[in-house]
Amino acid sequence: MTDSKTPFDYRLRLQVPADSSDRVLLEYLKAESHPTYLEKEMVLAALRMCWLPLAYEQSDASCEEVQRLAHDAILRLREQIQYLAAIAGISTSVPAESAFPQAASVSSPRVESVRLSRPAIASAPGSEDGYEEDLFGDD
């Protein structure tokens, strides 16, 4: 059994084409000139927004816990959309408050799990291959 005070160590090493948008992204994350966030915080924030509810859905977490995490992830994604739209000078097509009105309150004690196929993850813009890769291998 793992001691709860012992940190969990996870390492990821990536190699990307030198002329790719992935390189630009990774250099941005590595830069020490960020005024607010550390590299680890930015990576974990993105992972939590996109994948934490799914990780909990696959664990023994309660339906209510998965719903809470999904709701939080959706709120964070909306904030990120608004931030990106503001810095790019574009408007968002769907107002954040009206995108999922039913998510404002989780009133049903038990929601049936709906099984959707996982989305394919497109290769990065500017990369050589230009194909979509299913990282999960289940499609």
Side-chain angles (χ1 to χ4, degrees):
M1 178 146 225
T2 305
D3 180 9
S4 64
K5 294 182 182 183
T6 304
F8 176 76
D9 187 39
Y10 184 90
R11 296 181 191 270
L12 176 65
R13 186 177 194 294
L14 299 172
Q15 287 186 338
V16 299
D19 62 347
S20 70
S21 60
D22 286 337
R23 178 183 176 178
V24 174
L25 171 63
L26 294 172
E27 285 178 342
Y28 174 77
L29 292 174
K30 269 297 206 204
E32 295 183 16
S33 61
H34 297 292
T36 309
Y37 303 106
L38 299 172
E39 174 188 16
K40 180 175 112 176
E41 292 170 338
M42 290 187 289
V43 170
L44 283 174
L47 290 172
R48 287 179 190 124
M49 282 188 284
C50 293
W51 304 110
L52 185 61
L54 297 175
Y56 269 73
E57 191 260 340
Q58 293 295 313
S59 72
D60 61 353
S62 69
C63 183
E64 291 79 17
E65 179 71 2
V66 173
Q67 288 176 346
R68 185 188 66 74
L69 290 169
H71 183 65
D72 185 60
I74 291 166
L75 291 176
R76 303 241 182 261
L77 285 165
R78 287 180 183 165
E79 290 171 355
Q80 187 67 12
I81 289 167
Q82 293 300 319
Y83 175 71
L84 292 173
I87 65 168
I90 58 176
S91 65
T92 57
S93 59
V94 178
E97 295 303 317
S98 66
F100 295 100
Q102 69 275 14
S105 67
V106 179
S107 59
S108 62
R110 179 75 178 138
V111 174
E112 289 299 316
S113 177
V114 176
R115 213 55 184 140
L116 301 173
S117 62
R118 291 182 169 144
I121 298 177
S123 59
S127 66
E128 305 161 353
D129 47 45
Y131 67 89
E132 291 194 0
E133 176 182 0
D134 178 15
L135 297 180
F136 304 104
D138 60 357
D139 290 339

